[in-house]
Amino acid sequence: MSLGVTEGYAPLDLPNAGKPCQTYYKIFGDLKSCVTPLIGLHGGPGATMSYMLSLADLAEPSDGIPVVLYDQVGCGGSTLLPEKAGDVNFWTVQLFVDEFHSLMKHLEIKTYDVLGHSWGSMLGQEIAVRQPAGLRRLILSSGLASMKLWEEATRKLLETLAPDVVAKIRNHEAAGTFDSPEYAEAMNVYNKHFVCRLDPHPPEVIATFKALEDPTVYGTMEGPSEFTITGSLKTWDIIPRLFKIKVPILITNGAYDEAADSVIVPVWNVLPRVKWYTFPNSAHMAQWEERAKFMEVISGYLKLE
């Protein structure tokens, strides 16, 4: 039996964009089934749904969980807004929360589970603290609760790399030469250790790295790299608001993940209904690095009574 895939565009009302906007989405499986759909929120910001496409496995008949993925505005197949690069007043967390609910309304989805990966986990928590009626469960995949904790963890990981790699990264950061081929080569070493340990990287992951070369959203909200946070998310910290999350949560990360335990442990410490699974052979992309086990863990959690 072939898996049904639907794709389309949902209108997105962004008055400050200066032009009509839309969100590109893909649906795997049947939203009209009696199974609660899983909505995937990609990372970056600006990383596109490409590296999340493995989640379509959950929609196969063996699990039968409808999966909705979408490119957040500003990247991929959604409306691109390069003219808004650097505009921190435009690229806000609230913009992406609003886009999520706009898409749910367009697709007439009233009850849903959310899986947010990396920045997507931040967005997932921002959605959850607002206590929307439709949210049933939240999965924080390689996520974080505070950008300060993230910066501390990724800096610590950086120091474990070969001294020459660390020196190249430090030198180019000091000079601001983030477009240097040498810097890109050094960053590739970091990525192979702490982002995706598969060699070669899956094409879907390569496509996402390519998408992140566009600095419009990532550069504005994050900065030039995973450990040099200069964008508007630098002070992001949801820890004081975690108590507002009322739904059950599953935390996942990898043993070699740049999303180290320390960046997400506040969720575990604060909230009562939290489960945690660490993938022993993965970095930041367990959905590829341990694909079958990842789907088993996610499916098992979503099917809990």
Side-chain angles (χ1 to χ4, degrees):
M1 183 184 297
S2 61
L3 177 64
V5 181
T6 307
E7 57 186 320
Y9 296 88
L12 179 61
D13 184 20
L14 293 178
N16 295 331
K19 62 185 179 185
C21 294
Q22 57 187 6
T23 301
Y24 172 62
Y25 63 85
K26 280 191 173 184
I27 302 167
F28 302 88
D30 183 8
L31 288 180
K32 291 184 171 58
S33 72
C34 296
V35 181
T36 302
L38 178 66
I39 318 302
L41 309 178
H42 68 68
T48 77
M49 75 168 88
S50 177
Y51 79 102
M52 303 278 281
L53 288 171
S54 57
L55 292 180
D57 292 356
L58 295 168
E60 294 288 349
S62 54
D63 287 313
I65 301 169
V67 175
V68 178
L69 300 177
Y70 68 98
D71 287 334
Q72 295 157 24
V73 67
C75 70
S78 295
T79 303
L80 304 181
L81 296 159
E83 64 274 19
K84 294 292 185 180
D87 188 344
V88 296
N89 295 317
F90 180 80
W91 298 112
T92 64
V93 169
Q94 188 61 49
L95 180 153
F96 294 101
V97 172
D98 292 343
E99 179 183 31
F100 171 84
H101 288 298
S102 177
L103 179 61
M104 294 305 96
K105 183 177 180 181
H106 176 78
L107 296 177
E108 299 181 346
I109 297 175
K110 292 182 169 55
T111 304
Y112 49 84
D113 297 320
V114 165
L115 186 155
H117 180 268
S118 199
W119 142 256
S121 79
M122 298 163 67
L123 178 56
Q125 291 170 89
E126 290 282 358
I127 291 166
V129 297
R130 291 160 171 80
Q131 300 178 8
L135 180 61
R136 189 183 73 128
R137 286 188 177 141
L138 175 62
I139 300 170
L140 305 177
S141 177
S142 294
L144 61 151
S146 155
M147 193 59 83
K148 179 177 183 291
L149 293 177
W150 175 271
E151 212 167 357
E152 290 172 355
T154 52
R155 281 281 165 186
K156 191 177 294 184
L157 289 175
L158 175 61
E159 296 301 323
T160 67
L161 297 178
D164 63 315
V165 173
V166 177
K168 288 174 184 176
I169 289 175
R170 282 179 171 171
N171 291 340
H172 286 291
E173 286 195 334
T177 49
F178 298 105
D179 57 351
S180 163
E182 186 179 62
Y183 182 76
E185 181 183 348
M187 280 301 302
N188 192 42
V189 175
Y190 174 91
N191 290 337
K192 285 183 175 179
H193 276 78
F194 308 121
V195 180
C196 183
R197 296 170 74 86
L198 294 179
D199 187 15
H201 286 157
E204 295 87 348
V205 173
I206 294 172
T208 282
F209 283 138
K210 183 68 177 175
L212 285 170
E213 292 177 8
D214 179 349
T216 302
V217 190
Y218 185 85
T220 303
M221 298 183 75
E222 178 103 352
S225 76
E226 295 290 87
F227 40 78
T228 301
I229 314 300
T230 58
S232 59
L233 291 175
K234 185 174 180 65
T235 59
W236 183 85
D237 184 352
I238 204 158
I239 298 171
R241 294 180 286 147
L242 282 175
F243 72 94
K244 296 181 180 180
I245 298 179
K246 303 303 180 184
V247 298
I249 291 177
L250 171 66
I251 294 169
T252 72
N253 66 347
Y256 305 97
D257 205 330
E258 60 177 349
D261 291 356
S262 60
V263 307
I264 196 64
V265 75
V267 176
W268 175 265
N269 290 338
V270 170
L271 296 175
R273 293 190 291 169
V274 183
K275 296 182 181 295
W276 192 329
Y277 187 89
T278 297
F279 295 93
N281 301 308
S282 294
H284 199 52
M285 294 191 180
Q287 69 269 30
W288 293 101
E289 295 164 297
E290 294 179 69
R291 183 170 177 170
K293 185 63 179 179
F294 185 89
M295 303 310 158
E296 178 187 328
V297 169
I298 301 304
S299 174
Y301 179 70
L302 293 177
K303 291 178 179 178
L304 288 175
E305 293 299 328

